[in-house]
mmCIF file with all atom_site columns, all heavy atoms in Angstrom:
data_model
loop_
_atom_site.group_PDB
_atom_site.id
_atom_site.type_symbol
_atom_site.label_atom_id
_atom_site.label_alt_id
_atom_site.label_comp_id
_atom_site.label_asym_id
_atom_site.label_entity_id
_atom_site.label_seq_id
_atom_site.pdbx_PDB_ins_code
_atom_site.Cartn_x
_atom_site.Cartn_y
_atom_site.Cartn_z
_atom_site.occupancy
_atom_site.B_iso_or_equiv
_atom_site.pdbx_formal_charge
_atom_site.auth_seq_id
_atom_site.auth_comp_id
_atom_site.auth_asym_id
_atom_site.auth_atom_id
_atom_site.pdbx_PDB_model_num
ATOM 1   N N   . GLU A 1 48  ? 17.475 -13.217 2.770  1.00 87.00 ? 832  GLU A N   1
ATOM 2   C CA  . GLU A 1 48  ? 17.121 -12.034 2.045  1.00 87.00 ? 832  GLU A CA  1
ATOM 3   C C   . GLU A 1 48  ? 18.368 -11.479 1.379  1.00 87.00 ? 832  GLU A C   1
ATOM 4   O O   . GLU A 1 48  ? 19.474 -11.957 1.595  1.00 87.00 ? 832  GLU A O   1
ATOM 5   C CB  . GLU A 1 48  ? 16.490 -10.960 2.952  1.00 87.00 ? 832  GLU A CB  1
ATOM 6   C CG  . GLU A 1 48  ? 15.102 -11.355 3.485  1.00 87.00 ? 832  GLU A CG  1
ATOM 7   C CD  . GLU A 1 48  ? 14.436 -10.271 4.279  1.00 87.00 ? 832  GLU A CD  1
ATOM 8   O OE1 . GLU A 1 48  ? 15.084 -9.219  4.485  1.00 87.00 ? 832  GLU A OE1 1
ATOM 9   O OE2 . GLU A 1 48  ? 13.324 -10.488 4.733  1.00 87.00 ? 832  GLU A OE2 1
ATOM 10  N N   . SER A 1 49  ? 18.202 -10.428 0.597  1.00 81.00 ? 833  SER A N   1
ATOM 11  C CA  . SER A 1 49  ? 19.306 -9.812  -0.121 1.00 81.00 ? 833  SER A CA  1
ATOM 12  C C   . SER A 1 49  ? 20.314 -9.213  0.884  1.00 81.00 ? 833  SER A C   1
ATOM 13  O O   . SER A 1 49  ? 19.913 -8.639  1.893  1.00 81.00 ? 833  SER A O   1
ATOM 14  C CB  . SER A 1 49  ? 18.815 -8.684  -1.041 1.00 81.00 ? 833  SER A CB  1
ATOM 15  O OG  . SER A 1 49  ? 17.975 -9.227  -2.028 1.00 81.00 ? 833  SER A OG  1
ATOM 16  N N   . ASP A 1 51  ? 22.676 -6.689  2.660  1.00 71.00 ? 835  ASP A N   1
ATOM 17  C CA  . ASP A 1 51  ? 22.582 -5.221  2.734  1.00 71.00 ? 835  ASP A CA  1
ATOM 18  C C   . ASP A 1 51  ? 23.707 -4.604  3.586  1.00 71.00 ? 835  ASP A C   1
ATOM 19  O O   . ASP A 1 51  ? 23.799 -3.387  3.686  1.00 71.00 ? 835  ASP A O   1
ATOM 20  C CB  . ASP A 1 51  ? 21.219 -4.818  3.332  1.00 71.00 ? 835  ASP A CB  1
ATOM 21  C CG  . ASP A 1 51  ? 21.005 -5.391  4.733  1.00 71.00 ? 835  ASP A CG  1
ATOM 22  O OD1 . ASP A 1 51  ? 21.752 -6.291  5.117  1.00 71.00 ? 835  ASP A OD1 1
ATOM 23  O OD2 . ASP A 1 51  ? 20.112 -4.917  5.438  1.00 71.00 ? 835  ASP A OD2 1
ATOM 24  N N   . ARG A 1 52  ? 24.577 -5.446  4.182  1.00 68.00 ? 836  ARG A N   1
ATOM 25  C CA  . ARG A 1 52  ? 25.653 -4.943  5.027  1.00 68.00 ? 836  ARG A CA  1
ATOM 26  C C   . ARG A 1 52  ? 26.974 -5.606  4.679  1.00 68.00 ? 836  ARG A C   1
ATOM 27  O O   . ARG A 1 52  ? 27.817 -5.842  5.530  1.00 68.00 ? 836  ARG A O   1
ATOM 28  C CB  . ARG A 1 52  ? 25.353 -5.162  6.490  1.00 68.00 ? 836  ARG A CB  1
ATOM 29  C CG  . ARG A 1 52  ? 24.057 -4.546  6.981  1.00 68.00 ? 836  ARG A CG  1
ATOM 30  C CD  . ARG A 1 52  ? 23.837 -4.848  8.457  1.00 68.00 ? 836  ARG A CD  1
ATOM 31  N NE  . ARG A 1 52  ? 22.538 -4.407  8.921  1.00 68.00 ? 836  ARG A NE  1
ATOM 32  C CZ  . ARG A 1 52  ? 22.060 -4.642  10.120 1.00 68.00 ? 836  ARG A CZ  1
ATOM 33  N NH1 . ARG A 1 52  ? 22.791 -5.353  10.982 1.00 68.00 ? 836  ARG A NH1 1
ATOM 34  N NH2 . ARG A 1 52  ? 20.818 -4.225  10.478 1.00 68.00 ? 836  ARG A NH2 1
ATOM 35  N N   . HIS A 1 70  ? 19.022 -12.988 7.587  1.00 89.00 ? 854  HIS A N   1
ATOM 36  C CA  . HIS A 1 70  ? 18.705 -11.803 8.382  1.00 89.00 ? 854  HIS A CA  1
ATOM 37  C C   . HIS A 1 70  ? 17.918 -12.248 9.604  1.00 89.00 ? 854  HIS A C   1
ATOM 38  O O   . HIS A 1 70  ? 16.926 -12.938 9.496  1.00 89.00 ? 854  HIS A O   1
ATOM 39  C CB  . HIS A 1 70  ? 17.814 -10.835 7.558  1.00 89.00 ? 854  HIS A CB  1
ATOM 40  C CG  . HIS A 1 70  ? 18.504 -10.212 6.392  1.00 89.00 ? 854  HIS A CG  1
ATOM 41  N ND1 . HIS A 1 70  ? 18.446 -8.874  6.153  1.00 89.00 ? 854  HIS A ND1 1
ATOM 42  C CD2 . HIS A 1 70  ? 19.246 -10.747 5.398  1.00 89.00 ? 854  HIS A CD2 1
ATOM 43  C CE1 . HIS A 1 70  ? 19.153 -8.587  5.033  1.00 89.00 ? 854  HIS A CE1 1
ATOM 44  N NE2 . HIS A 1 70  ? 19.636 -9.743  4.579  1.00 89.00 ? 854  HIS A NE2 1
ATOM 45  N N   . LEU A 1 71  ? 18.369 -11.807 10.782 1.00 90.00 ? 855  LEU A N   1
ATOM 46  C CA  . LEU A 1 71  ? 17.654 -12.110 11.985 1.00 90.00 ? 855  LEU A CA  1
ATOM 47  C C   . LEU A 1 71  ? 16.338 -11.308 11.992 1.00 90.00 ? 855  LEU A C   1
ATOM 48  O O   . LEU A 1 71  ? 16.355 -10.069 11.965 1.00 90.00 ? 855  LEU A O   1
ATOM 49  C CB  . LEU A 1 71  ? 18.492 -11.729 13.199 1.00 90.00 ? 855  LEU A CB  1
ATOM 50  C CG  . LEU A 1 71  ? 17.842 -11.976 14.583 1.00 90.00 ? 855  LEU A CG  1
ATOM 51  C CD1 . LEU A 1 71  ? 17.533 -13.447 14.782 1.00 90.00 ? 855  LEU A CD1 1
ATOM 52  C CD2 . LEU A 1 71  ? 18.755 -11.472 15.688 1.00 90.00 ? 855  LEU A CD2 1
ATOM 53  N N   . LYS A 1 72  ? 15.238 -11.994 12.066 1.00 91.00 ? 856  LYS A N   1
ATOM 54  C CA  . LYS A 1 72  ? 13.920 -11.334 11.934 1.00 91.00 ? 856  LYS A CA  1
ATOM 55  C C   . LYS A 1 72  ? 13.079 -11.390 13.226 1.00 91.00 ? 856  LYS A C   1
ATOM 56  O O   . LYS A 1 72  ? 12.210 -10.575 13.394 1.00 91.00 ? 856  LYS A O   1
ATOM 57  C CB  . LYS A 1 72  ? 13.109 -12.042 10.812 1.00 91.00 ? 856  LYS A CB  1
ATOM 58  C CG  . LYS A 1 72  ? 13.663 -11.768 9.438  1.00 91.00 ? 856  LYS A CG  1
ATOM 59  C CD  . LYS A 1 72  ? 13.541 -10.272 9.083  1.00 91.00 ? 856  LYS A CD  1
ATOM 60  C CE  . LYS A 1 72  ? 13.956 -10.008 7.647  1.00 91.00 ? 856  LYS A CE  1
ATOM 61  N NZ  . LYS A 1 72  ? 13.780 -8.580  7.327  1.00 91.00 ? 856  LYS A NZ  1
ATOM 62  N N   . LYS A 1 90  ? 17.821 -5.584  16.156 1.00 71.00 ? 874  LYS A N   1
ATOM 63  C CA  . LYS A 1 90  ? 18.579 -4.586  15.385 1.00 71.00 ? 874  LYS A CA  1
ATOM 64  C C   . LYS A 1 90  ? 20.009 -4.510  15.868 1.00 71.00 ? 874  LYS A C   1
ATOM 65  O O   . LYS A 1 90  ? 20.930 -4.384  15.067 1.00 71.00 ? 874  LYS A O   1
ATOM 66  C CB  . LYS A 1 90  ? 17.902 -3.200  15.508 1.00 71.00 ? 874  LYS A CB  1
ATOM 67  C CG  . LYS A 1 90  ? 16.555 -3.094  14.781 1.00 71.00 ? 874  LYS A CG  1
ATOM 68  C CD  . LYS A 1 90  ? 16.009 -1.686  14.876 1.00 71.00 ? 874  LYS A CD  1
ATOM 69  C CE  . LYS A 1 90  ? 14.683 -1.596  14.108 1.00 71.00 ? 874  LYS A CE  1
ATOM 70  N NZ  . LYS A 1 90  ? 14.097 -0.226  14.174 1.00 71.00 ? 874  LYS A NZ  1
ATOM 71  N N   . ARG A 1 96  ? 23.127 -10.815 11.154 1.00 84.00 ? 880  ARG A N   1
ATOM 72  C CA  . ARG A 1 96  ? 23.376 -11.292 9.782  1.00 84.00 ? 880  ARG A CA  1
ATOM 73  C C   . ARG A 1 96  ? 24.346 -12.483 9.846  1.00 84.00 ? 880  ARG A C   1
ATOM 74  O O   . ARG A 1 96  ? 25.331 -12.433 10.572 1.00 84.00 ? 880  ARG A O   1
ATOM 75  C CB  . ARG A 1 96  ? 23.998 -10.181 8.915  1.00 84.00 ? 880  ARG A CB  1
ATOM 76  C CG  . ARG A 1 96  ? 23.124 -8.935  8.718  1.00 84.00 ? 880  ARG A CG  1
ATOM 77  C CD  . ARG A 1 96  ? 21.917 -9.224  7.880  1.00 84.00 ? 880  ARG A CD  1
ATOM 78  N NE  . ARG A 1 96  ? 21.175 -8.017  7.624  1.00 84.00 ? 880  ARG A NE  1
ATOM 79  C CZ  . ARG A 1 96  ? 20.236 -7.498  8.425  1.00 84.00 ? 880  ARG A CZ  1
ATOM 80  N NH1 . ARG A 1 96  ? 19.997 -8.067  9.598  1.00 84.00 ? 880  ARG A NH1 1
ATOM 81  N NH2 . ARG A 1 96  ? 19.589 -6.366  8.095  1.00 84.00 ? 880  ARG A NH2 1
ATOM 82  N N   . PHE A 1 288 ? 8.985  6.910   0.951  1.00 90.00 ? 1072 PHE A N   1
ATOM 83  C CA  . PHE A 1 288 ? 9.460  5.530   1.072  1.00 90.00 ? 1072 PHE A CA  1
ATOM 84  C C   . PHE A 1 288 ? 8.444  4.577   1.692  1.00 90.00 ? 1072 PHE A C   1
ATOM 85  O O   . PHE A 1 288 ? 8.652  3.371   1.682  1.00 90.00 ? 1072 PHE A O   1
ATOM 86  C CB  . PHE A 1 288 ? 10.760 5.509   1.888  1.00 90.00 ? 1072 PHE A CB  1
ATOM 87  C CG  . PHE A 1 288 ? 11.832 6.397   1.343  1.00 90.00 ? 1072 PHE A CG  1
ATOM 88  C CD1 . PHE A 1 288 ? 12.365 7.364   2.144  1.00 90.00 ? 1072 PHE A CD1 1
ATOM 89  C CD2 . PHE A 1 288 ? 12.263 6.298   0.047  1.00 90.00 ? 1072 PHE A CD2 1
ATOM 90  C CE1 . PHE A 1 288 ? 13.346 8.235   1.669  1.00 90.00 ? 1072 PHE A CE1 1
ATOM 91  C CE2 . PHE A 1 288 ? 13.247 7.115   -0.449 1.00 90.00 ? 1072 PHE A CE2 1
ATOM 92  C CZ  . PHE A 1 288 ? 13.787 8.115   0.368  1.00 90.00 ? 1072 PHE A CZ  1
ATOM 93  N N   . ALA A 1 291 ? 6.172  1.044   7.834  1.00 83.00 ? 1075 ALA A N   1
ATOM 94  C CA  . ALA A 1 291 ? 5.730  -0.247  8.364  1.00 83.00 ? 1075 ALA A CA  1
ATOM 95  C C   . ALA A 1 291 ? 4.697  -0.007  9.432  1.00 83.00 ? 1075 ALA A C   1
ATOM 96  O O   . ALA A 1 291 ? 4.622  1.057   10.055 1.00 83.00 ? 1075 ALA A O   1
ATOM 97  C CB  . ALA A 1 291 ? 6.932  -1.004  8.932  1.00 83.00 ? 1075 ALA A CB  1
ATOM 98  N N   . ARG A 1 332 ? 20.747 8.137   -1.864 1.00 89.00 ? 1116 ARG A N   1
ATOM 99  C CA  . ARG A 1 332 ? 21.033 6.692   -1.838 1.00 89.00 ? 1116 ARG A CA  1
ATOM 100 C C   . ARG A 1 332 ? 20.166 5.934   -2.830 1.00 89.00 ? 1116 ARG A C   1
ATOM 101 O O   . ARG A 1 332 ? 20.658 5.035   -3.504 1.00 89.00 ? 1116 ARG A O   1
ATOM 102 C CB  . ARG A 1 332 ? 20.753 6.156   -0.400 1.00 89.00 ? 1116 ARG A CB  1
ATOM 103 C CG  . ARG A 1 332 ? 21.018 4.669   -0.312 1.00 89.00 ? 1116 ARG A CG  1
ATOM 104 C CD  . ARG A 1 332 ? 20.533 4.116   1.012  1.00 89.00 ? 1116 ARG A CD  1
ATOM 105 N NE  . ARG A 1 332 ? 20.761 2.681   1.135  1.00 89.00 ? 1116 ARG A NE  1
ATOM 106 C CZ  . ARG A 1 332 ? 20.284 1.903   2.070  1.00 89.00 ? 1116 ARG A CZ  1
ATOM 107 N NH1 . ARG A 1 332 ? 19.570 2.451   3.056  1.00 89.00 ? 1116 ARG A NH1 1
ATOM 108 N NH2 . ARG A 1 332 ? 20.518 0.610   2.088  1.00 89.00 ? 1116 ARG A NH2 1
ATOM 109 N N   . GLU A 1 338 ? 18.177 1.609   -3.768 1.00 89.00 ? 1122 GLU A N   1
ATOM 110 C CA  . GLU A 1 338 ? 17.750 0.947   -2.536 1.00 89.00 ? 1122 GLU A CA  1
ATOM 111 C C   . GLU A 1 338 ? 17.136 1.973   -1.577 1.00 89.00 ? 1122 GLU A C   1
ATOM 112 O O   . GLU A 1 338 ? 17.562 3.139   -1.550 1.00 89.00 ? 1122 GLU A O   1
ATOM 113 C CB  . GLU A 1 338 ? 18.907 0.255   -1.819 1.00 89.00 ? 1122 GLU A CB  1
ATOM 114 C CG  . GLU A 1 338 ? 19.529 -0.855  -2.587 1.00 89.00 ? 1122 GLU A CG  1
ATOM 115 C CD  . GLU A 1 338 ? 20.722 -1.487  -1.883 1.00 89.00 ? 1122 GLU A CD  1
ATOM 116 O OE1 . GLU A 1 338 ? 21.203 -0.878  -0.874 1.00 89.00 ? 1122 GLU A OE1 1
ATOM 117 O OE2 . GLU A 1 338 ? 21.167 -2.563  -2.256 1.00 89.00 ? 1122 GLU A OE2 1
ATOM 118 N N   . TYR A 1 339 ? 16.185 1.544   -0.783 1.00 89.00 ? 1123 TYR A N   1
ATOM 119 C CA  . TYR A 1 339 ? 15.574 2.377   0.230  1.00 89.00 ? 1123 TYR A CA  1
ATOM 120 C C   . TYR A 1 339 ? 15.011 1.497   1.337  1.00 89.00 ? 1123 TYR A C   1
ATOM 121 O O   . TYR A 1 339 ? 14.853 0.286   1.161  1.00 89.00 ? 1123 TYR A O   1
ATOM 122 C CB  . TYR A 1 339 ? 14.470 3.284   -0.381 1.00 89.00 ? 1123 TYR A CB  1
ATOM 123 C CG  . TYR A 1 339 ? 13.218 2.532   -0.776 1.00 89.00 ? 1123 TYR A CG  1
ATOM 124 C CD1 . TYR A 1 339 ? 12.137 2.465   0.081  1.00 89.00 ? 1123 TYR A CD1 1
ATOM 125 C CD2 . TYR A 1 339 ? 13.149 1.868   -2.013 1.00 89.00 ? 1123 TYR A CD2 1
ATOM 126 C CE1 . TYR A 1 339 ? 11.001 1.768   -0.252 1.00 89.00 ? 1123 TYR A CE1 1
ATOM 127 C CE2 . TYR A 1 339 ? 12.014 1.204   -2.370 1.00 89.00 ? 1123 TYR A CE2 1
ATOM 128 C CZ  . TYR A 1 339 ? 10.924 1.112   -1.495 1.00 89.00 ? 1123 TYR A CZ  1
ATOM 129 O OH  . TYR A 1 339 ? 9.829  0.428   -1.845 1.00 89.00 ? 1123 TYR A OH  1
ATOM 130 N N   . GLN A 1 340 ? 14.619 2.142   2.432  1.00 87.00 ? 1124 GLN A N   1
ATOM 131 C CA  . GLN A 1 340 ? 13.983 1.417   3.573  1.00 87.00 ? 1124 GLN A CA  1
ATOM 132 C C   . GLN A 1 340 ? 12.716 2.178   3.944  1.00 87.00 ? 1124 GLN A C   1
ATOM 133 O O   . GLN A 1 340 ? 12.717 3.401   4.016  1.00 87.00 ? 1124 GLN A O   1
ATOM 134 C CB  . GLN A 1 340 ? 14.927 1.362   4.772  1.00 87.00 ? 1124 GLN A CB  1
ATOM 135 C CG  . GLN A 1 340 ? 16.100 0.374   4.581  1.00 87.00 ? 1124 GLN A CG  1
ATOM 136 C CD  . GLN A 1 340 ? 17.032 0.452   5.756  1.00 87.00 ? 1124 GLN A CD  1
ATOM 137 O OE1 . GLN A 1 340 ? 17.788 1.378   5.908  1.00 87.00 ? 1124 GLN A OE1 1
ATOM 138 N NE2 . GLN A 1 340 ? 16.990 -0.575  6.584  1.00 87.00 ? 1124 GLN A NE2 1
ATOM 139 N N   . ARG A 1 341 ? 11.677 1.419   4.223  1.00 87.00 ? 1125 ARG A N   1
ATOM 140 C CA  . ARG A 1 341 ? 10.457 2.054   4.757  1.00 87.00 ? 1125 ARG A CA  1
ATOM 141 C C   . ARG A 1 341 ? 10.733 2.551   6.196  1.00 87.00 ? 1125 ARG A C   1
ATOM 142 O O   . ARG A 1 341 ? 11.618 2.029   6.897  1.00 87.00 ? 1125 ARG A O   1
ATOM 143 C CB  . ARG A 1 341 ? 9.340  1.024   4.798  1.00 87.00 ? 1125 ARG A CB  1
ATOM 144 C CG  . ARG A 1 341 ? 8.657  0.721   3.476  1.00 87.00 ? 1125 ARG A CG  1
ATOM 145 C CD  . ARG A 1 341 ? 7.538  -0.270  3.709  1.00 87.00 ? 1125 ARG A CD  1
ATOM 146 N NE  . ARG A 1 341 ? 6.792  -0.448  2.473  1.00 87.00 ? 1125 ARG A NE  1
ATOM 147 C CZ  . ARG A 1 341 ? 5.777  -1.317  2.367  1.00 87.00 ? 1125 ARG A CZ  1
ATOM 148 N NH1 . ARG A 1 341 ? 5.400  -2.053  3.423  1.00 87.00 ? 1125 ARG A NH1 1
ATOM 149 N NH2 . ARG A 1 341 ? 5.101  -1.476  1.257  1.00 87.00 ? 1125 ARG A NH2 1
ATOM 150 N N   . VAL A 1 342 ? 9.979  3.546   6.609  1.00 88.00 ? 1126 VAL A N   1
ATOM 151 C CA  . VAL A 1 342 ? 10.064 4.048   7.977  1.00 88.00 ? 1126 VAL A CA  1
ATOM 152 C C   . VAL A 1 342 ? 9.664  2.932   8.920  1.00 88.00 ? 1126 VAL A C   1
ATOM 153 O O   . VAL A 1 342 ? 8.620  2.286   8.757  1.00 88.00 ? 1126 VAL A O   1
ATOM 154 C CB  . VAL A 1 342 ? 9.183  5.255   8.181  1.00 88.00 ? 1126 VAL A CB  1
ATOM 155 C CG1 . VAL A 1 342 ? 9.234  5.734   9.635  1.00 88.00 ? 1126 VAL A CG1 1
ATOM 156 C CG2 . VAL A 1 342 ? 9.595  6.372   7.226  1.00 88.00 ? 1126 VAL A CG2 1
ATOM 157 N N   . GLY A 1 343 ? 10.506 2.606   9.880  1.00 85.00 ? 1127 GLY A N   1
ATOM 158 C CA  . GLY A 1 343 ? 10.214 1.564   10.882 1.00 85.00 ? 1127 GLY A CA  1
ATOM 159 C C   . GLY A 1 343 ? 10.471 0.157   10.379 1.00 85.00 ? 1127 GLY A C   1
ATOM 160 O O   . GLY A 1 343 ? 9.986  -0.807  11.001 1.00 85.00 ? 1127 GLY A O   1
ATOM 161 N N   . GLU A 1 344 ? 11.267 0.002   9.349  1.00 82.00 ? 1128 GLU A N   1
ATOM 162 C CA  . GLU A 1 344 ? 11.512 -1.323  8.778  1.00 82.00 ? 1128 GLU A CA  1
ATOM 163 C C   . GLU A 1 344 ? 12.988 -1.488  8.475  1.00 82.00 ? 1128 GLU A C   1
ATOM 164 O O   . GLU A 1 344 ? 13.653 -0.562  7.987  1.00 82.00 ? 1128 GLU A O   1
ATOM 165 C CB  . GLU A 1 344 ? 10.694 -1.502  7.501  1.00 82.00 ? 1128 GLU A CB  1
ATOM 166 C CG  . GLU A 1 344 ? 10.740 -2.891  6.888  1.00 82.00 ? 1128 GLU A CG  1
ATOM 167 C CD  . GLU A 1 344 ? 9.823  -3.007  5.673  1.00 82.00 ? 1128 GLU A CD  1
ATOM 168 O OE1 . GLU A 1 344 ? 10.216 -2.514  4.602  1.00 82.00 ? 1128 GLU A OE1 1
ATOM 169 O OE2 . GLU A 1 344 ? 8.706  -3.539  5.796  1.00 82.00 ? 1128 GLU A OE2 1
ATOM 170 N N   . ASP A 1 345 ? 13.566 -2.643  8.783  1.00 78.00 ? 1129 ASP A N   1
ATOM 171 C CA  . ASP A 1 345 ? 14.977 -2.895  8.547  1.00 78.00 ? 1129 ASP A CA  1
ATOM 172 C C   . ASP A 1 345 ? 15.247 -3.361  7.120  1.00 78.00 ? 1129 ASP A C   1
ATOM 173 O O   . ASP A 1 345 ? 16.343 -3.183  6.607  1.00 78.00 ? 1129 ASP A O   1
ATOM 174 C CB  . ASP A 1 345 ? 15.499 -3.988  9.519  1.00 78.00 ? 1129 ASP A CB  1
ATOM 175 C CG  . ASP A 1 345 ? 15.668 -3.411  10.947 1.00 78.00 ? 1129 ASP A CG  1
ATOM 176 O OD1 . ASP A 1 345 ? 15.899 -2.200  11.066 1.00 78.00 ? 1129 ASP A OD1 1
ATOM 177 O OD2 . ASP A 1 345 ? 15.606 -4.211  11.872 1.00 78.00 ? 1129 ASP A OD2 1
ATOM 178 N N   . ALA A 1 346 ? 14.269 -4.000  6.517  1.00 78.00 ? 1130 ALA A N   1
ATOM 179 C CA  . ALA A 1 346 ? 14.473 -4.604  5.206  1.00 78.00 ? 1130 ALA A CA  1
ATOM 180 C C   . ALA A 1 346 ? 14.848 -3.536  4.167  1.00 78.00 ? 1130 ALA A C   1
ATOM 181 O O   . ALA A 1 346 ? 14.261 -2.448  4.140  1.00 78.00 ? 1130 ALA A O   1
ATOM 182 C CB  . ALA A 1 346 ? 13.233 -5.339  4.746  1.00 78.00 ? 1130 ALA A CB  1
ATOM 183 N N   . VAL A 1 347 ? 15.826 -3.843  3.351  1.00 83.00 ? 1131 VAL A N   1
ATOM 184 C CA  . VAL A 1 347 ? 16.226 -2.952  2.256  1.00 83.00 ? 1131 VAL A CA  1
ATOM 185 C C   . VAL A 1 347 ? 15.500 -3.399  1.006  1.00 83.00 ? 1131 VAL A C   1
ATOM 186 O O   . VAL A 1 347 ? 15.541 -4.522  0.593  1.00 83.00 ? 1131 VAL A O   1
ATOM 187 C CB  . VAL A 1 347 ? 17.750 -3.045  2.038  1.00 83.00 ? 1131 VAL A CB  1
ATOM 188 C CG1 . VAL A 1 347 ? 18.176 -2.196  0.839  1.00 83.00 ? 1131 VAL A CG1 1
ATOM 189 C CG2 . VAL A 1 347 ? 18.502 -2.580  3.307  1.00 83.00 ? 1131 VAL A CG2 1
ATOM 190 N N   . ARG A 1 348 ? 14.829 -2.448  0.364  1.00 85.00 ? 1132 ARG A N   1
ATOM 191 C CA  . ARG A 1 348 ? 14.045 -2.726  -0.825 1.00 85.00 ? 1132 ARG A CA  1
ATOM 192 C C   . ARG A 1 348 ? 14.746 -2.162  -2.072 1.00 85.00 ? 1132 ARG A C   1
ATOM 193 O O   . ARG A 1 348 ? 15.347 -1.088  -2.013 1.00 85.00 ? 1132 ARG A O   1
ATOM 194 C CB  . ARG A 1 348 ? 12.653 -2.125  -0.685 1.00 85.00 ? 1132 ARG A CB  1
ATOM 195 C CG  . ARG A 1 348 ? 11.842 -2.717  0.460  1.00 85.00 ? 1132 ARG A CG  1
ATOM 196 C CD  . ARG A 1 348 ? 10.508 -1.973  0.676  1.00 85.00 ? 1132 ARG A CD  1
ATOM 197 N NE  . ARG A 1 348 ? 9.744  -2.563  1.741  1.00 85.00 ? 1132 ARG A NE  1
ATOM 198 C CZ  . ARG A 1 348 ? 8.800  -3.473  1.598  1.00 85.00 ? 1132 ARG A CZ  1
ATOM 199 N NH1 . ARG A 1 348 ? 8.505  -3.887  0.357  1.00 85.00 ? 1132 ARG A NH1 1
ATOM 200 N NH2 . ARG A 1 348 ? 8.163  -3.989  2.603  1.00 85.00 ? 1132 ARG A NH2 1
ATOM 201 N N   . LYS A 1 349 ? 14.616 -2.889  -3.155 1.00 89.00 ? 1133 LYS A N   1
ATOM 202 C CA  . LYS A 1 349 ? 15.163 -2.466  -4.426 1.00 89.00 ? 1133 LYS A CA  1
ATOM 203 C C   . LYS A 1 349 ? 14.075 -1.737  -5.233 1.00 89.00 ? 1133 LYS A C   1
ATOM 204 O O   . LYS A 1 349 ? 12.915 -2.094  -5.162 1.00 89.00 ? 1133 LYS A O   1
ATOM 205 C CB  . LYS A 1 349 ? 15.688 -3.676  -5.211 1.00 89.00 ? 1133 LYS A CB  1
ATOM 206 C CG  . LYS A 1 349 ? 16.830 -4.393  -4.561 1.00 89.00 ? 1133 LYS A CG  1
ATOM 207 C CD  . LYS A 1 349 ? 18.141 -3.646  -4.674 1.00 89.00 ? 1133 LYS A CD  1
ATOM 208 C CE  . LYS A 1 349 ? 19.327 -4.436  -4.164 1.00 89.00 ? 1133 LYS A CE  1
ATOM 209 N NZ  . LYS A 1 349 ? 20.608 -3.685  -4.331 1.00 89.00 ? 1133 LYS A NZ  1
#
Side-chain angles (χ1 to χ4, degrees):
E832 293 185 357
S833 299
D835 60 344
R836 303 179 186 174
H854 293 230
L855 179 61
K856 291 296 186 178
K874 291 184 179 180
R880 299 291 185 275
F1072 306 123
R1116 179 189 180 189
E1122 297 179 345
Y1123 71 95
Q1124 289 175 286
R1125 283 180 173 178
V1126 178
E1128 186 176 77
D1129 286 334
V1131 176
R1132 297 173 180 266
K1133 296 286 186 178

